[in-house]
Amino acid sequence: MSHRVPDHSTSPTTTTTTSSSSTSGPDRRTDDRDLKPPRKPLGRTAGTYVGALLILIWGLAPFYWMLVTAFRDNRFVFSASPLPSNVTLDNFREALSTDGGNNFLGAIINSVIISSVTTALALTFGVFTAYALARVDFRGKFFVTGLILAASMFPGVALVTPLFQLFTDIGWIGTYQALIIPNISFALPLTIYTLTSFFNDLPWELEEAARVDGATRGQAFIKIILPLAAPALFTTAILAFIITWNEFILSQQLSTTATEPVTVAIARFSGVNPYIPPHAAIMAAGALVTVPLVIMVLLFQRRIISGLTAGGLKS
Amino acid sequence: MTTSEKSQAPLVAKKFDWRPVWMVGPALIILAVVIGYPIVRAVYLSFMADRGLDPATGMFTQGGFAGFQHYLYWLTQACPAPGGGTVTCPDGVSATDFWPAMGNTLFFTVTTVSLETVLGFAMAVIMGKSIWGRSLLRAAVLVPWAIPTAVTAKLWAFIFDPNGIANTILGTNIAWTTDPFYARVAIIVADVWKTAPFMALLILAGLQMIPGDVYEAARVDGASRWQQFVRITLPLVRPALMVAILFRTLDALRMYDLPVILVSANSNSPTATVSMLVVNEMRMGNFNSASAISTLVFLLVFAVAYIMVKFLGANVVEDRTGKKEEIR
């Protein structure tokens, strides 16, 4: 066993003859593949399409129900009809009105500010780290990668208490930085390892070619690598933005009504009557928050999936 | 100064490469500040006494070292006794919510991750087939993932309303959000709806890395579909699958917004999780005992991650640094 392994690599011809069934000669296999006809699915397509339909319903039906309810006259909110009969925009008006202490429009603006700044900061600091992890050999690289991965799996709830106390002490509760800084703890590790995966796949020979042609390292990076990496940066930005937009637990504790993001606003959304939840208005508010995300997802589906699979992430 | 250094450097030794330092340094400093500092502070706070009435003197006390008092309070329900020492906490004290919350957290983690793995696998197999409308299918499964959990919770609270569409379709009259059993079912359904697609995409990426000729060879050798699945697909997709399970498990262990918004924010609700207990304790002003639970949550997540990486082969670091292939 122990001497078969080196045998295998040094003289493949002798190994194929001695060990009969476990290995097949590399030459013969390529021939086989060339001769083989392309495989055909036999009668399984119908089942596949039924499955595909179920997946489609799975993904879209609850979302569709939210949209239908958002446009439905409040009196028929529990109607089982799949179409909104008396189409109305009242629910959107109620969602955006500031009666009863709601300020949903303000919350949307807060979310845009918090998510954009967090994304920009995470990308700015993440891109250099990812470049170094993908391209520069240095001691402790494995350790740094592990550290960043550990950070990405970190439970946000463990940050709540100390950050709340700290931000209370320095008077930051109700400021944007009190929401942006903790969000970086989710966005930055995500940015770094998604970008590292993308950078690993870039054709770095081009950078070397540019260096041979006399470009400095900085020039090569700006003129060659950055344009090549632009799609990856864009993808990572979308992911970081969505993750920050969806954050709840820290935002809930560290915001005031003036700075709360949409997730917190929608959670405490209450109508005029506190005993009857304003379902239709909540669905309208939910639609306002999710339709932009859903459009983004539909437009950049391919990119988002490649980003998601380049690095797993927290939802 | 600098010129002499430059000219000397190659003669003595290879010049120190500063690039990793300024490239990686800032990010590490930021992570140390936004994660490292709070976690150290939380551990420190967890050993400090909360402000409160001293049972012996009847006076308000402020801070001081508390040892493992908070940990014992949660883990063994040891409340301070009026005459000094400790007694078992009476019902209604938040310590008695700890083990039920821990049970809920572990129950949700095991059930949702198992269901998501099975469903995600089935979805991935279908999405991997070359059928018409494949990209529509992939976009559709991203929708639940992209919707914020807070909105998901509100949406399912509406669906699971006593008059809602769930009861209408099923022809039932179930109190989904108040009955303890059905409240848990509702949480599991909403969570699986939201996150099974994420699992499916990670598994799909793993499936697509399996070269097709492996299956051809197996077919030539007369392997059945089932044998191909068990002998080829499962072992080859295992690394991707383990990473997906690891991420989802750690995610499920910190579940918070779904039960809070869909069912109740009470720490004694049938769907309360340990994260909810941290927030509730903090809101009562007991920061130090809240820190003790958050440290326990942290240790739990860390232990689960360690076990999965060490013994179940979820080799994340190598996957991230060495992986070249990707979903197209």
Side-chain angles (χ1 to χ4, degrees):
Chain A
M1 185 64 201
S2 54
H3 71 273
R4 239 180 78 188
V5 182
D7 260 358
H8 202 66
S9 55
T10 45
S11 52
T13 39
T14 50
T15 355
T16 31
T17 47
T18 48
S19 66
S20 51
S21 61
S22 63
T23 48
S24 53
D27 311 324
R28 219 179 59 210
R29 238 178 95 187
T30 27
D31 285 348
D32 258 7
R33 192 163 49 189
D34 290 343
L35 292 171
K36 223 163 160 54
R39 66 169 159 146
K40 282 223 160 211
L42 295 164
R44 286 174 194 274
T45 18
T48 308
Y49 276 104
V50 171
L53 188 69
L54 287 176
I55 295 176
L56 215 57
I57 293 171
W58 174 284
L60 297 179
F63 175 67
Y64 175 77
W65 197 242
M66 176 161 74
L67 287 184
V68 169
T69 311
F71 286 105
R72 183 168 275 161
D73 190 311
N74 206 4
R75 285 169 300 166
F76 310 116
V77 69
F78 290 120
S79 154
S81 148
L83 288 172
S85 27
N86 306 47
V87 177
T88 171
L89 290 177
D90 281 355
N91 301 318
F92 289 94
R93 241 169 257 135
E94 193 186 337
L96 292 173
S97 92
T98 49
D99 298 346
N102 295 316
N103 183 10
F104 204 68
L105 194 63
I108 293 177
I109 296 168
N110 288 338
S111 273
V112 170
I113 294 172
I114 295 161
S115 304
S116 313
V117 176
T118 306
T119 304
L121 286 173
L123 269 189
T124 310
F125 290 104
V127 70
F128 294 111
T129 309
Y131 179 91
L133 289 179
R135 281 294 287 164
V136 186
D137 273 320
F138 60 93
R139 275 180 60 175
K141 186 161 149 180
F142 191 77
F143 176 72
V144 170
T145 315
L147 210 64
I148 288 162
L149 265 156
S152 74
M153 297 175 186
F154 186 79
V157 66
L159 304 178
V160 171
T161 319
L163 286 182
F164 182 82
Q165 267 204 328
L166 174 70
F167 290 166
T168 310
D169 287 348
I170 59 177
W172 272 16
I173 300 288
T175 61
Y176 285 121
Q177 66 266 32
L179 297 166
I180 290 165
I181 290 172
N183 270 319
I184 291 178
S185 71
F186 304 126
L188 186 58
L190 164 86
T191 310
I192 293 171
Y193 64 68
T194 312
L195 278 178
T196 308
S197 293
F198 280 131
F199 281 2
N200 274 329
D201 290 344
L202 286 186
W204 293 101
E205 298 78 22
L206 289 178
E207 189 195 28
E208 267 125 45
R211 299 261 289 138
V212 170
D213 287 350
T216 65
R217 233 176 239 287
Q219 281 172 331
F221 182 74
I222 290 167
K223 295 205 170 149
I224 309 287
I225 292 308
L226 226 43
L228 278 175
L233 288 173
F234 180 68
T235 305
T236 311
I238 295 178
L239 291 179
F241 190 90
I242 293 181
I243 295 305
T244 317
W245 185 274
N246 295 357
E247 204 285 321
F248 181 76
I249 184 167
L250 287 165
S251 308
Q252 190 196 30
Q253 304 312 317
L254 303 175
S255 69
T256 57
T257 322
T259 54
E260 69 185 7
V262 283
T263 47
V264 180
I266 208 164
R268 61 172 200 87
F269 195 95
S270 61
V272 186
N273 184 338
Y275 297 103
I276 304 167
H279 281 303
I282 291 172
M283 291 304 110
L288 285 175
V289 177
T290 47
V291 166
L293 292 185
V294 168
I295 291 173
M296 208 137 88
V297 158
L298 294 178
L299 284 178
F300 306 115
Q301 170 252 125
R302 205 169 279 267
R303 290 192 173 291
I304 292 174
I305 292 175
S306 66
L308 272 176
T309 47
L313 58 119
K314 30 165 113 181
S315 43
Chain B
M1 179 72 190
T2 43
T3 46
S4 68
E5 255 180 28
K6 248 182 197 165
S7 56
Q8 272 176 14
L11 295 172
V12 182
K14 210 178 154 200
K15 199 181 166 225
F16 183 75
D17 189 359
W18 281 101
R19 284 183 304 151
V21 177
W22 70 257
M23 285 178 144
V24 180
L28 287 186
I29 290 169
I30 290 173
L31 288 179
V33 171
V34 296
I35 297 180
Y37 167 75
I39 192 72
V40 171
R41 173 110 183 128
V43 173
Y44 167 79
L45 288 176
S46 72
F47 288 107
M48 293 292 138
D50 275 316
R51 202 175 90 93
L53 282 175
D54 184 345
T57 59
M59 305 276 276
F60 260 107
T61 54
Q62 185 78 52
F65 183 68
F68 285 92
Q69 183 199 309
H70 297 306
Y71 292 95
L72 291 174
Y73 172 72
W74 294 115
L75 294 170
T76 67
Q77 268 95 67
C79 279
T86 54
V87 290
T88 306
C89 296
D91 277 351
V93 175
S94 42
T96 54
D97 296 332
F98 179 78
W99 286 110
M102 194 59 110
N104 283 337
T105 306
L106 296 176
F107 171 71
F108 285 140
T109 303
V110 171
T111 46
T112 57
V113 175
S114 325
L115 285 170
E116 283 162 31
T117 308
V118 174
L119 275 166
F121 215 117
M123 286 180 172
V125 168
I126 292 168
M127 290 194 293
K129 299 255 163 73
S130 42
I131 52 167
W132 184 85
R134 196 157 81 144
S135 55
L136 174 71
L137 206 58
R138 291 187 187 180
V141 298
L142 277 175
V143 169
W145 168 82
I147 294 179
T149 311
V151 178
T152 305
K154 283 287 185 189
L155 171 57
W156 285 94
F158 172 61
I159 291 172
F160 283 131
D161 190 278
N163 302 313
I165 191 72
N167 273 342
T168 311
I169 289 178
L170 298 171
T172 50
N173 210 357
I174 296 167
W176 290 97
T177 52
T178 44
D179 181 274
F181 174 78
Y182 287 108
R184 293 193 184 107
V185 172
I187 298 288
I188 291 168
V189 169
D191 193 67
V192 170
W193 174 73
K194 185 176 167 53
T195 44
F198 168 74
M199 201 72 147
L201 292 172
L202 290 188
I203 295 171
L204 178 61
L207 285 177
Q208 290 184 332
M209 274 188 250
I210 304 175
D213 46 356
V214 181
Y215 289 102
E216 262 166 47
R219 254 201 312 280
V220 169
D221 288 349
S224 70
R225 282 251 160 196
W226 177 248
Q227 282 172 322
Q228 288 176 37
F229 180 77
V230 174
R231 296 286 175 84
I232 300 171
T233 311
L234 277 183
L236 287 180
V237 88
R238 204 181 107 105
L241 189 64
M242 287 315 299
V243 170
I245 291 177
L246 173 69
F247 273 99
R248 278 302 312 145
T249 304
L250 300 187
D251 223 17
L253 285 174
R254 55 184 171 231
M255 188 188 280
Y256 174 77
D257 28 7
L258 201 53
V260 163
I261 304 170
L262 180 48
V263 177
S264 161
N266 282 335
S267 59
N268 60 1
S269 98
T271 58
T273 61
V274 272
S275 296
M276 285 164 67
L277 217 52
V278 176
V279 171
N280 283 18
E281 190 68 9
M282 196 188 98
R283 284 192 172 163
M284 284 191 273
N286 303 328
F287 292 106
N288 300 328
S289 56
S291 296
I293 322 177
S294 75
T295 306
L296 288 173
V297 175
F298 174 71
L299 289 176
L300 174 72
V301 167
F302 185 81
V304 170
Y306 183 82
I307 290 168
M308 292 188 78
V309 170
K310 193 90 184 167
F311 299 107
L312 299 175
N315 204 338
V316 224
V317 179
E318 232 161 66
D319 260 348
R320 301 297 145 192
T321 49
K323 194 165 77 181
K324 292 282 177 200
E325 274 168 286
E326 230 159 280
I327 184 169
R328 293 283 168 228

